[in-house]
Amino acid sequence: MIRVAHPLDIPRILNLAEGYNEEARKVNHFITTWDAELTVCNLLSTLNSENGLLIVSVEAGKVVGFLWAVACCPVPWSSHRSADCFMFYVHPDYRGSLHAIRLIKAFKVWAVTVDCVEIRISTASGLNTERVEALFSRLGYKPLGNTYHQLIT
């Protein structure tokens, strides 16, 4: 089941987000710090924003995945709105099921309701890139450029 998150989901979402961070760190050292307090503040901010989305996938009463996004104007020269995904994560034990597909489809429904003209979702974390890109393609998403990063030490 997919539903909008509520504050009581935050401890489980926080646990899943930390798992995402750990997986990403092992893959490519993408995320260098973890601040649980800041994450909780940002989750609460999203829950209280009309431009934010935090949805969860639930199985047998347990939150097993989530999608965290915002509606924004992605470029300063246009007023078109984009639905941009910050984090999209399904616990490894539940991957390969319908959780990811249902989260992405619910994300699209929300994007339409907040008047977005495009959706941006990525594999920037480096987790299961080929598999996730294949899923995005099956759902009608097209590649848009590439993401590069450099750690500053």
Side-chain angles (χ1 to χ4, degrees), residues 94-119:
Y94 297 89
R95 292 180 189 159
S97 64
L98 294 175
H99 293 284
I101 292 169
R102 290 178 179 153
L103 284 165
I104 294 169
K105 287 183 175 183
F107 178 35
K108 183 175 182 179
V109 168
W110 172 79
V112 170
T113 68
V114 294
D115 299 320
C116 291
V117 298
E118 71 175 328
I119 295 170

Side-chain angles (χ1 to χ4, degrees), residues 13-22 25 31-40 87:
I13 295 169
L14 188 65
N15 180 264
L16 289 169
E18 189 171 15
Y20 168 97
N21 184 36
E22 287 302 314
R25 187 177 298 180
I31 301 169
T32 57
T33 62
W34 173 255
D35 185 331
E37 185 176 330
L38 178 61
T39 305
V40 169
M87 290 180 79

Side-chain angles (χ1 to χ4, degrees), residues 48-128:
N48 291 316
S49 170
E50 63 186 39
N51 292 317
L53 175 70
L54 184 58
I55 54 177
V56 293
S57 187
V58 179
E59 184 171 305
K62 181 178 181 180
V63 173
V64 299
F66 70 97
L67 189 145
W68 186 2
V70 64
C72 62
C73 296
V75 293
W77 55 84
S78 176
S79 61
H80 87 269
R81 287 167 53 96
S82 172
D84 289 8
C85 181
F86 292 139
M87 290 180 79
F88 164 56
Y89 185 76
V90 175
H91 188 279
D93 293 346
Y94 297 89
R95 292 180 189 159
S97 64
L98 294 175
H99 293 284
I101 292 169
R102 290 178 179 153
L103 284 165
I104 294 169
K105 287 183 175 183
F107 178 35
K108 183 175 182 179
V109 168
W110 172 79
V112 170
T113 68
V114 294
D115 299 320
C116 291
V117 298
E118 71 175 328
I119 295 170
R120 296 175 185 216
I121 189 167
S122 76
T123 59
S125 66
L127 300 180
N128 301 303

Side-chain angles (χ1 to χ4, degrees), residues 135-149:
L135 171 63
F136 291 164
S137 280
R138 281 194 311 274
L139 294 175
Y141 293 83
K142 307 276 186 250
L144 176 66
N146 291 301
T147 300
Y148 294 82
H149 83 279

